[in-house]
Amino acid sequence: MEQNHDAKTAEELVNGDHNGTELHAGEPVNKDNSSPEKEDKTLEEQNVDPVFQISVKLPHKPYQIQVMVSTQEQVQDLRNSIVEFPDTFQYSCFHLEYNGNRINDFVELSEVKELVPGAEVKLVEDPYTEKEARMHMIRVRDLIGATGDRVDTLHGISAGLSLHDCIVPSEMLNRPLQNGKRSVNTSNEDPHALSEYDFNAPASIRTILPQTKDSPPKTVKSLCVSAWNPPPQYLRQKGHLLYLQLTTNEGEQFQITSHVSGFIVNKSSNSKFDPYPRPQPKSASAHSLLTLIEKLSPSFQTSFGSLQEYNNRRDPLANFQITNTIPANPWLVPAAESSLLAHQPDLTRSQETYLMSGIENAETLRDWNEEFQSTRELPKETIQDRVFRERITSKLFADYTDAAARGAVMVARGEVAPLNPTENRDAQIFVYNNVFFSFGADGVGTFTSEGGDDAARVAVGKDVTGIRVVNQLDVDGLFTPGTVVVDYLGKRLVGQSIVPGIFKQREPGENQIDYGGVEGRDVVAENEAFVTVFSKLSKHLRVKRHDVWDKEGKRHTLEGSVETKGLLGTDGRKYVLDLYRLSPLDIIWIEEYWTDVSESDVKPSQLNYPHRMTVLRPELVETYWRFKMGEFVKAELERRRNSTSGAETVDSGIPSDSNDNADSKMVTNGDAQKHEENGLITTGEKAETNGVQERVDIADFNLAFNPDVFCGQAPQTDEEKEELIKDEKEVRAICEFLRHTVISELVHDLREGEVGFPMDGHSLARLFHKRGINIRYLGTLATLAKEQNSRLEALNALSVQEMVARSFKHIANHYMNGLPAVFIPSCLAHLLNCLLGADFNQAPKACLDEELQAYYTNTDWSFKDIDVQTLRAKVQAEVHLRYRYTLDQDWANNLKHIQLLREIALKLGLQITAKDYRFSASSMPLTNGSTNVAANAGTNGVYHHTNGVSSRKKKKNSDHELASQSSESLSSSSPTTFSPDDIVNIIPIIKDACPRSTLAEEALEAGKMSMMQNQKEIGQELLLESLSLHEQIYGVLHPEVARMYHQLSMLYYQLDEKIAAVELARKAVYVSERTLGVDSNETILSYLNLGLFEHGNGNTKTALIYMKHALELWKIIYGSRHPDSITTINNAAVMLQTLKHYHDSRIWFETSLTICEEVSGKQSVNTATLCFQLAQALALDQEAKAAVNCMRDAYSIFLSKLGPDDRNTKESESWLEQLTQNAVSIAKHAKDVQARRLRRVQFSPGITLGTRPQPQVGQSSTGTTLGSDPREVNRIDSRSVDELLRFIEGGGETSKRSTAKKRSSRGNPKRRGGLLGNAV
């Protein structure tokens, strides 16, 4: 039964059929809110399976279709499924009937009376309204490819781009499977993707550029709104809705009337208005516009079929529209004249706003606040309730983020009038699309004592983070406004939904705020109605109930920070506002680097930190709480052992928090890890009697922080002062914990290779935040890394690069803030020339249009005066100011230009023309016939092969275009690296407050736990359910779904479900590219794991293509020789051995060893392990003497580091003897060198043929393997000679499979996994 279940699970995963999955498998996860007995009873009473098939009767051909539905779906979902069938594209305005009764579109199918499997539902066409006609027009234009290119004010160029289908030729993926594998030619004469790969070649920007593709087939010449639209009033009375104009491929033009009954060809022309139907025989009409076009154009059916075939060449995930998240925008884009960005004529492009929103534009106006709060009030008693609630929440946040970001862009460009135009600009407020906007600056002096504009900018960023935390906690009765922070053109704007009553003028004597600080800390309001909900929130956030004092010295007792405000809205709801102070201040940092301006007119250089808003992260608070709880448990156990000899089990109730981050659950400072089981703390140690685990009641453990200490509070009595001193001591303790424990442990883990190494600034920042470390400690980390071994040189370099990029961002924002948008490209190009192009031109000049400049008289043009030395000095000062790190004197000469340009572009939202920029006078464009281009002839790292010859002809035109672009940038008229034209677009950087789905995460964690407990069947059900929940709640194209695909693919690979693992990994690639970026670190991880899984599935040639693309991406975001690339290079070498490319494999092993020696040192255990592997590769490459020397090196290191009794030492010694004997034998029998070597050389597939997936950045390597045995950590696997030869020559599948399962449980992060076991 288990095998059958597993097969079904794999099939469902491959086919992507998750909607019909029963949710009862996840009910145990929802311990408090589910009622499975009631739900199961309902299904039994209806006698309906959760998933079944129904028939839909159609009014036109094919007259009937079959649809699979689920009782948990809404009728609206069924409608969406129907219109996606090719045979039913024409339907959009219809309703469904069953047994003669109309079905409500907004009920679940389970509520439709007597709906049973095999039932026939009838589709009935409805009369159109104007809105329905407009929506039908938009849909048909999209279907037939008549939309042309869209210019979006929010999304950038090539938004949501995917390169996967450009990387691997479709014929390779479409090759038929044989026994679950694609047939491959393993001849060592056959070329492969890694042939002549140059590890030292610079990054190629073509890696992240899309290929020039064929134009899609044209179905019509144009379809647009007619110039006669809208209908006059007297014709509206007769049912006329719209007037359209169609030009067919045959060149005929038709004027069409959209009527309530359908679409009719009328008698109008471009110069004559006659909207009545044409007479016979030229008359034509249909309910659907698609059907009418088919009647009017003889070639339409053929061309429409060709268009569908064209669209189906790519995976649906590469074509689906992204609706539930902001699509990723590439930072490098093709040149404006590229065919990829051709701007096509389309009259309706400017009319789409009308088509979508109507004449009055009232249909898009939404009451965002009411939608947010109504969604929060939805029931969550059953699993179905929670799924529906979280699904609506995810969609609502996505819609609001989109609307708020669009509004912020318009405000930043000055296209929205302020409500208070007489105020200074920073104090102005705006309302657009029912969203309230303000600047993230200290326009009214609220943060004067905290640091002014810098403090205000930080506060709004912390506020959106705090709102996200509160949304995640989902406290009943407490509401938050929708909040989005947008950075655009040097300005920070915050967009919030309008809370009812926030602008209400209160009566004299009443405060504008009902709870918390009203005017800073001078006036404090109390309201009993807020105490209960604030106390619930504070309990989750570890905030202590404490006293504060107003300006008159009156004491007030608050549940949260005085800065956190409560507002009773006019709708009766309790709102929480200003959540930027949920945790205490980092007082040690403030005391070291900050002083109030009032204390000193000129701040000392040591005390000039820009602001006082140095708030500790919530992740740190949670980590410290668990650390102190661990100490409490140890002390309690010690006390218990001292008082009694017997150990008793004590019942307790530790609060379980499903939202805790995995990193925040870590017990630090070397303490034994504690586990939460059924609300009890267990020590993992057996009691001395009865063999029962000791459990400790933690009800007496209480740790909470006062967020208002060190904030000017003035206690009046000695008791109050004593309490405040106690609170201050606790805050100092957590600050010391951050500095001396958390940061030190992060450095230790990175040095020892116990977590994945960050690749770029984004992954480094995420790693910081997971550990609860603020970005201001980048300088501290860089200093510690500089003092450590060579492995952390990469960490130091990455930290310095991140500090430089962030400092440049602050400098650029300062100059952009007051500039008109039209001059910002000139400003950015000049600043980039001073930073990155100084070696090419030491004295760059800003390029400005003086005639245009004359129109802006009150503008600050100071950026023109910046030169190379001035900018470098500003960057150095900014780095020291914000991160307390002193850059080396030659820091500017050690920049990684492409990598730093990428970091700056991502932080500022730049989209830059893709061309080979010259960063020094000696550098030449890579496109002018250099060997680097030849080595990377396949666009995007693609390896095209036809009859043994690499195809370079397809690249000719694109190479010519790229070369011409480079030559233009180097012409005498533009002797700088960057020109204003290179800044093609600037997109907003968005921070939202959308919570994650707790239900989907609960199912995922339950599935993992079941797997670890060897409950495979239940575990797979829960994992499959978690995947289904992720897709239902977020939609398929979402970053959280990409991460789910990634995790699930690794789990299924370890379960030997290799086909399912490959399909999931491929989906992870598609979704990661489109939502996270084509060159994000997570996309690289997805490509590496996809390559690994393809290799495990027997498709090694395809795997090598993926590996090459991932390595090229790695060069772009980091450069070469990343510490974790050792594993990737090692895996590629193993794959080459599988293809019998022994010489190439040996080269890759040598490269891996070289990097390992640089990173870990020549005498490390990791180096010894790679020497062991290289010796085997040399033996296979007929280098017997070199193999002996390499194995001798491995043996020497193992002997000195691990001792003579270690298994690694013994096996390397045994190998050394065998290889030595083999070398002697070869010398004696030179004529039989190759044959004898194949017979005599033994091989250790446990090392050389083993490949493992790598964890994500910051993830523990031990967390990726299920059921790993810590006793196997030092073992080098071995196998017989016969098994080796069978493996090399393609046989021995059974033996290979059995030993592979043994290898899956072996891994030591310090012996083999620190570098080799850490997957990317």
Side-chain angles (χ1 to χ4, degrees):
M1 291 297 293
E2 182 176 336
Q3 292 178 350
N4 292 338
H5 175 81
D6 294 344
K8 178 188 176 190
T9 302
E11 182 180 358
E12 289 174 344
L13 285 170
V14 172
N15 295 333
D17 182 14
H18 315 297
N19 292 331
T21 306
E22 288 189 64
L23 290 176
H24 64 77
E27 285 168 1
V29 179
N30 184 24
K31 298 175 183 177
D32 300 325
N33 297 327
S34 62
S35 53
E37 297 85 357
K38 181 178 179 180
E39 292 162 5
D40 290 343
K41 183 177 179 182
T42 303
L43 292 177
E44 290 174 5
E45 288 176 352
Q46 294 181 356
N47 194 27
V48 176
D49 292 332
V51 181
F52 55 91
Q53 180 174 282
I54 63 173
S55 300
V56 179
K57 186 178 179 180
L58 306 174
H60 308 291
K61 289 183 178 181
Y63 299 113
Q64 192 175 56
I65 59 172
Q66 307 295 321
V67 182
M68 293 297 297
V69 298
S70 167
T71 54
Q72 298 153 6
E73 292 180 353
Q74 286 192 328
V75 176
Q76 189 70 38
D77 297 323
L78 174 58
R79 284 178 57 99
N80 294 337
S81 299
I82 291 173
V83 299
E84 291 302 325
F85 282 93
D87 292 330
T88 53
F89 277 157
Q90 69 266 34
Y91 301 108
S92 67
C93 184
F94 63 90
H95 70 268
L96 299 175
E97 293 183 357
Y98 181 61
N99 288 341
N101 298 317
R102 180 166 182 158
I103 304 175
N104 190 320
D105 291 340
F106 301 99
V107 301
E108 289 189 358
L109 289 175
S110 58
E111 300 178 29
V112 179
K113 293 182 179 180
E114 300 178 0
L115 185 67
V116 295
E120 184 178 87
V121 175
K122 185 178 180 181
L123 185 150
V124 180
E125 294 175 331
D126 284 336
Y128 287 95
T129 62
E130 185 195 333
K131 179 180 178 180
E132 291 282 1
R134 288 189 277 107
M135 294 301 105
H136 186 77
M137 167 72 167
I138 293 174
R139 171 175 167 77
V140 170
R141 276 172 49 84
D142 285 336
L143 282 173
I144 66 176
T147 54
D149 60 310
R150 284 193 171 97
V151 180
D152 197 291
T153 57
L154 176 62
H155 303 155
I157 301 167
S158 301
L161 174 68
S162 173
L163 296 177
H164 176 275
D165 292 345
C166 303
I167 306 305
V168 178
S170 57
E171 58 267 18
M172 295 191 71
L173 294 179
N174 296 331
R175 190 176 297 163
L177 299 179
Q178 298 178 358
N179 297 324
K181 302 178 181 180
R182 296 184 184 92
S183 58
V184 293
N185 184 0
T186 57
S187 169
N188 56 12
E189 300 295 329
D190 221 20
H192 55 83
L194 301 182
S195 297
E196 301 178 0
Y197 183 81
D198 187 355
F199 292 96
N200 298 318
S204 172
I205 60 174
R206 296 192 192 89
T207 305
I208 55 176
L209 292 181
Q211 284 182 329
T212 303
K213 55 185 179 182
D214 299 333
S215 299
K218 292 283 290 184
T219 57
V220 296
K221 287 189 175 180
S222 72
L223 174 62
C224 60
V225 177
S226 171
W228 299 112
N229 193 70
Q233 288 85 343
Y234 72 95
L235 290 175
R236 282 181 177 272
Q237 304 300 321
K238 297 184 178 182
H240 291 212
L241 304 174
L242 302 172
Y243 296 134
L244 310 176
Q245 180 176 300
L246 168 70
T247 304
T248 65
N249 281 344
E250 292 79 13
E252 289 191 79
Q253 187 179 95
F254 297 92
Q255 298 282 342
I256 298 173
T257 298
S258 172
H259 192 263
V260 291
S261 61
F263 294 85
I264 308 163
V265 177
N266 63 39
K267 295 186 288 184
S268 295
S269 66
N270 289 335
S271 58
K272 179 184 176 182
F273 179 59
D274 188 356
Y276 295 101
R278 280 187 179 184
Q280 293 288 352
K282 294 184 178 181
S283 65
S285 64
H287 187 268
S288 170
L289 181 58
L290 192 68
T291 306
L292 180 62
I293 297 174
E294 187 175 338
K295 292 180 179 180
L296 297 176
S297 174
S299 65
F300 176 79
Q301 188 170 7
T302 302
S303 58
F304 185 54
S306 300
L307 177 64
Q308 290 179 276
E309 292 179 4
Y310 176 87
N311 292 333
N312 290 336
R313 292 179 192 173
R314 305 188 69 190
D315 190 281
L317 287 175
N319 292 327
F320 283 159
Q321 184 178 359
I322 301 176
T323 57
N324 274 26
T325 188
I326 300 295
N329 295 282
W331 64 278
L332 275 180
V333 295
E337 60 271 17
S338 168
S339 59
L340 293 169
L341 301 182
H343 195 49
Q344 303 167 351
D346 182 11
L347 287 174
T348 310
R349 182 167 47 224
S350 59
Q351 302 167 342
E352 284 189 341
T353 302
Y354 154 70
L355 288 173
M356 290 185 287
S357 308
I359 297 177
E360 304 297 334
N361 196 27
E363 295 173 14
T364 57
L365 293 178
R366 299 165 63 177
D367 187 343
W368 295 109
N369 190 77
E370 182 59 31
E371 289 191 48
F372 274 118
Q373 315 320 334
S374 298
T375 301
R376 185 179 290 273
E377 291 172 337
L378 288 173
K380 50 184 177 180
E381 282 71 29
T382 66
I383 287 182
Q384 285 75 17
D385 289 340
R386 293 180 66 187
V387 171
F388 179 74
R389 183 176 184 264
E390 292 187 356
R391 182 179 180 181
I392 294 297
T393 299
S394 176
K395 178 60 176 171
L396 177 59
F397 270 97
D399 291 347
Y400 176 75
T401 300
D402 185 274
R406 292 180 188 277
V409 167
M410 296 187 68
V411 170
R413 286 184 169 272
E415 297 173 11
V416 179
L419 299 181
N420 52 344
T422 58
E423 301 285 345
N424 68 75
R425 194 195 65 166
D426 289 343
Q428 289 177 348
I429 57 177
F430 309 80
V431 172
Y432 181 80
N433 200 4
N434 280 345
V435 179
F436 173 74
F437 294 98
S438 59
F439 288 104
D442 193 22
V444 294
T446 304
F447 296 94
T448 301
S449 62
E450 305 289 332
D453 288 344
D454 283 300
R457 187 181 183 92
V458 172
V460 296
K462 295 289 184 184
D463 184 38
V464 73
T465 302
I467 291 175
R468 187 188 308 119
V469 171
V470 175
N471 289 340
Q472 192 67 47
L473 293 173
D474 199 12
V475 178
D476 289 335
L478 191 63
F479 299 88
T480 59
T483 306
V484 168
V485 169
V486 178
D487 292 330
Y488 184 64
L489 302 184
K491 306 171 183 66
R492 171 163 286 189
L493 295 106
V494 55
Q496 293 186 307
S497 61
I498 302 174
V499 176
I502 195 169
F503 296 123
K504 178 184 176 183
Q505 293 295 324
R506 302 291 182 104
E507 296 294 331
E510 289 186 351
N511 294 319
Q512 199 70 22
I513 295 297
D514 296 293
Y515 192 76
V518 179
E519 299 174 4
R521 295 182 293 269
D522 293 341
V523 179
V524 180
E526 293 184 81
N527 190 325
E528 286 298 322
F530 283 86
V531 172
T532 302
V533 290
F534 267 59
S535 64
K536 293 179 183 178
L537 176 64
S538 297
K539 182 178 180 181
H540 287 291
L541 297 175
R542 321 297 183 197
V543 173
K544 179 181 179 180
R545 178 178 179 147
H546 60 282
D547 297 329
V548 297
W549 294 265
D550 58 24
K551 63 180 179 180
E552 298 177 354
K554 182 180 179 181
R555 187 181 70 177
H556 303 268
T557 302
L558 297 180
E559 295 288 345
S561 168
V562 69
E563 305 290 353
T564 303
K565 301 171 177 59
L567 175 68
L568 187 62
T570 54
D571 57 359
R573 299 185 178 107
K574 301 180 184 70
Y575 293 89
V576 57
L577 309 173
D578 293 349
L579 291 163
Y580 53 82
R581 185 74 67 77
L582 293 180
S583 49
L585 295 174
D586 186 350
I587 186 57
I588 296 181
W589 184 278
I590 291 175
E591 290 176 343
E592 288 185 1
Y593 305 122
W594 161 268
T595 186
D596 196 341
V597 177
S598 61
E599 298 176 8
S600 174
D601 293 337
V602 179
K603 290 188 177 184
S605 60
Q606 184 63 19
L607 300 174
N608 62 346
Y609 194 68
H611 59 83
R612 201 175 185 272
M613 295 294 297
T614 56
V615 182
L616 299 174
R617 293 193 64 84
E619 297 92 340
L620 175 69
V621 173
E622 191 64 25
T623 300
Y624 184 71
W625 186 88
R626 293 183 177 277
F627 169 74
K628 298 298 288 186
M629 182 185 64
E631 288 187 341
F632 171 82
V633 170
K634 290 178 66 176
E636 180 66 19
L637 289 174
E638 188 65 28
R639 183 194 63 78
R640 188 182 299 177
R641 291 193 183 100
N642 292 336
S643 61
T644 177
S645 58
E648 300 176 354
T649 300
V650 182
D651 290 335
S652 124
I654 178 174
S656 75
D657 189 353
S658 62
N659 301 323
D660 289 339
N661 191 289
D663 287 274
S664 66
K665 294 181 179 180
M666 179 184 62
V667 176
T668 54
N669 206 22
D671 289 305
Q673 187 173 0
K674 311 298 185 296
H675 303 278
E676 296 184 23
E677 297 179 358
N678 302 323
L680 299 173
I681 293 296
T682 64
T683 67
E685 301 175 4
K686 297 294 182 181
E688 295 179 1
T689 60
N690 301 327
V692 179
Q693 283 188 326
E694 294 186 85
R695 299 189 177 187
V696 177
D697 184 355
I698 64 164
D700 295 332
F701 174 72
N702 183 29
L703 176 65
F705 299 94
N706 179 352
D708 291 321
V709 296
F710 306 110
C711 292
Q713 294 298 324
Q716 304 298 308
T717 68
D718 292 340
E719 183 180 355
E720 293 170 353
K721 293 178 181 178
E722 184 178 345
E723 184 67 21
L724 186 62
I725 291 173
K726 181 180 176 182
D727 292 345
E728 290 176 348
K729 183 179 179 181
E730 198 64 69
V731 171
R732 287 188 183 277
I734 190 174
C735 294
E736 293 285 352
F737 178 75
L738 168 63
R739 290 195 167 202
H740 302 300
T741 301
V742 177
I743 295 178
S744 299
E745 286 189 348
L746 174 60
V747 173
H748 172 271
D749 291 346
L750 290 171
R751 183 183 66 243
E752 299 300 321
E754 295 183 356
V755 296
F757 205 90
M759 300 182 190
D760 61 353
H762 177 71
S763 57
L764 179 62
R766 287 195 69 191
L767 178 58
F768 261 51
H769 293 163
K770 283 184 178 181
R771 296 294 182 103
I773 306 173
N774 302 89
I775 292 296
R776 61 178 172 271
Y777 283 99
L778 268 173
T780 304
L781 183 74
T783 302
L784 291 174
K786 198 172 183 179
E787 299 169 354
Q788 300 291 330
N789 62 16
S790 56
R791 175 175 172 82
L792 293 186
E793 288 180 4
L795 181 62
N796 173 264
L798 186 58
S799 301
V800 169
Q801 176 179 286
E802 181 68 2
M803 288 187 286
V804 170
R806 287 175 176 268
S807 297
F808 181 88
K809 177 190 73 172
H810 289 292
I811 295 169
N813 282 338
H814 169 73
Y815 287 111
M816 287 194 298
N817 192 17
L819 277 181
V822 69
F823 291 105
I824 284 180
S826 298
C827 173
L828 290 171
H830 180 62
L831 294 178
L832 288 172
N833 283 325
C834 292
L835 179 69
L836 297 174
D839 291 341
F840 177 65
N841 186 336
Q842 288 285 346
K845 299 296 182 181
C847 180
L848 286 174
D849 185 335
E850 294 183 359
E851 293 183 4
L852 187 61
Q853 189 178 351
Y855 286 93
Y856 300 90
T857 56
N858 297 322
T859 301
D860 182 6
W861 306 103
S862 57
F863 77 89
K864 295 192 303 180
D865 302 327
I866 296 294
D867 58 21
V868 172
Q869 297 304 321
T870 304
L871 182 66
R872 289 181 177 178
K874 285 181 175 291
V875 170
Q876 283 180 286
E878 198 76 16
V879 168
H880 184 269
L881 174 69
R882 296 183 180 275
Y883 308 107
R884 300 298 149 173
Y885 184 81
T886 302
L887 294 173
D888 296 336
Q889 290 184 351
D890 61 342
W891 67 270
N893 299 324
N894 298 323
L895 297 177
K896 297 180 179 179
H897 295 97
I898 288 293
Q899 290 74 30
L900 182 57
L901 177 61
R902 174 181 178 271
E903 294 291 348
I904 290 171
L906 292 177
K907 287 173 173 54
L908 291 173
L910 309 184
Q911 290 193 296
I912 304 173
T913 299
K915 62 184 183 183
D916 292 317
Y917 293 98
R918 288 186 67 176
F919 296 107
S920 66
S922 59
S923 65
M924 294 299 295
L926 301 182
T927 51
N928 294 340
S930 69
T931 56
N932 291 322
V933 174
N936 295 282
T939 304
N940 306 320
V942 182
Y943 178 75
H944 298 282
H945 174 63
T946 306
N947 298 327
V949 180
S950 299
S951 64
R952 292 176 170 82
K953 293 183 179 180
K954 294 182 180 179
K955 292 272 310 152
K956 184 176 180 180
N957 293 335
S958 60
D959 283 351
H960 175 73
E961 290 178 6
L962 201 59
S964 63
Q965 295 165 20
S966 298
S967 61
E968 288 173 8
S969 70
L970 303 177
S971 64
S972 59
S973 62
S974 181
T976 54
T977 303
F978 299 93
S979 69
D981 290 341
D982 294 329
I983 312 299
V984 180
N985 188 30
I986 302 177
I987 55 176
I989 306 299
I990 303 168
K991 299 178 182 178
D992 62 30
C994 182
R996 302 185 312 276
S997 167
T998 55
L999 181 61
E1001 292 183 356
E1002 287 170 6
L1004 175 61
E1005 293 303 318
K1008 289 181 178 179
M1009 187 66 66
S1010 298
M1011 289 295 187
M1012 293 177 65
Q1013 296 171 353
N1014 290 326
Q1015 297 176 347
K1016 185 176 179 182
E1017 184 173 342
I1018 296 177
Q1020 285 189 300
E1021 285 183 1
L1022 288 169
L1023 292 174
L1024 187 60
E1025 178 189 337
S1026 177
L1027 175 60
S1028 174
L1029 290 171
H1030 273 84
E1031 292 179 335
Q1032 288 182 57
I1033 291 168
Y1034 294 115
V1036 177
L1037 294 172
H1038 193 280
E1040 292 298 327
V1041 177
R1043 295 176 183 121
M1044 179 63 194
Y1045 284 144
H1046 182 83
Q1047 292 185 62
L1048 206 56
S1049 67
M1050 291 195 293
L1051 290 171
Y1052 270 83
Y1053 184 76
Q1054 292 164 9
L1055 294 172
D1056 211 25
E1057 295 278 0
K1058 294 182 179 178
I1059 296 178
V1062 167
E1063 292 301 323
L1064 287 167
R1066 185 171 289 112
K1067 289 183 178 182
V1069 166
Y1070 278 117
V1071 183
S1072 295
E1073 285 186 322
R1074 301 197 64 198
T1075 61
L1076 296 169
V1078 292
D1079 60 347
S1080 75
N1081 65 292
E1082 293 181 68
T1083 299
I1084 294 177
L1085 298 176
S1086 297
Y1087 266 113
L1088 289 172
N1089 279 342
L1090 176 56
L1092 185 61
F1093 301 160
E1094 284 280 17
H1095 166 68
N1097 212 27
N1099 309 317
T1100 304
K1101 284 195 170 183
T1102 304
L1104 290 176
I1105 297 174
Y1106 289 132
M1107 301 295 278
K1108 178 182 178 181
H1109 182 67
L1111 287 171
E1112 290 298 314
L1113 290 177
W1114 219 330
K1115 284 184 179 181
I1116 288 177
I1117 76 169
Y1118 176 83
S1120 58
R1121 301 184 180 279
H1122 186 276
D1124 281 354
S1125 67
I1126 298 171
T1127 307
T1128 301
I1129 296 171
N1130 198 70
N1131 286 347
V1134 171
M1135 296 177 188
L1136 290 171
Q1137 281 187 344
T1138 305
L1139 295 177
K1140 301 181 182 179
H1141 292 280
Y1142 298 128
H1143 182 70
D1144 288 346
S1145 173
R1146 164 219 177 151
I1147 294 174
W1148 282 70
F1149 275 125
E1150 288 173 342
T1151 304
S1152 178
L1153 176 60
T1154 301
I1155 300 175
C1156 186
E1157 289 177 343
E1158 294 176 0
V1159 170
S1160 300
K1162 294 186 176 182
Q1163 297 300 313
S1164 69
V1165 175
N1166 293 320
T1167 300
T1169 306
L1170 281 172
C1171 285
F1172 192 101
Q1173 294 176 297
L1174 178 57
Q1176 296 171 336
L1178 288 167
L1180 286 174
D1181 197 30
Q1182 304 180 9
E1183 294 287 349
K1185 184 176 180 180
V1188 171
N1189 293 335
C1190 201
M1191 188 60 71
R1192 184 180 294 113
D1193 292 340
Y1195 170 69
S1196 301
I1197 298 172
F1198 282 138
L1199 181 63
S1200 63
K1201 295 293 184 181
L1202 304 179
D1205 297 328
D1206 186 83
R1207 185 183 182 103
N1208 291 346
T1209 306
K1210 292 180 178 180
E1211 291 207 17
S1212 60
E1213 182 180 20
S1214 173
W1215 270 78
L1216 180 59
E1217 293 175 358
Q1218 295 178 49
L1219 288 174
T1220 303
Q1221 293 172 6
N1222 186 63
V1224 172
S1225 177
I1226 290 173
K1228 291 181 180 179
H1229 305 280
K1231 295 181 181 180
D1232 197 23
V1233 171
Q1234 185 170 358
R1236 185 174 299 276
R1237 181 166 290 129
L1238 286 175
R1239 291 197 301 271
R1240 295 292 298 275
V1241 174
Q1242 288 190 2
F1243 202 83
S1244 176
I1247 292 182
T1248 321
L1249 296 181
T1251 55
R1252 290 180 55 194
Q1254 297 172 282
Q1256 294 189 3
V1257 173
Q1259 178 182 332
S1260 171
S1261 58
T1262 58
T1264 60
T1265 305
L1266 298 175
S1268 59
D1269 188 349
R1271 294 172 296 181
E1272 301 289 333
V1273 293
N1274 295 332
R1275 183 170 300 176
I1276 293 182
D1277 212 349
S1278 61
R1279 202 183 303 174
S1280 69
V1281 178
D1282 293 337
E1283 290 174 334
L1284 161 68
L1285 295 177
R1286 282 201 301 271
F1287 186 93
I1288 294 175
E1289 298 182 7
E1293 290 294 329
T1294 304
S1295 175
K1296 179 180 71 173
R1297 185 181 181 92
S1298 62
T1299 53
K1301 290 185 178 180
K1302 295 178 182 178
R1303 289 198 308 274
S1304 67
S1305 64
R1306 297 173 183 167
N1308 176 15
K1310 295 187 179 180
R1311 296 289 185 259
R1312 290 162 49 193
L1315 296 170
L1316 303 176
N1318 272 1
V1320 189

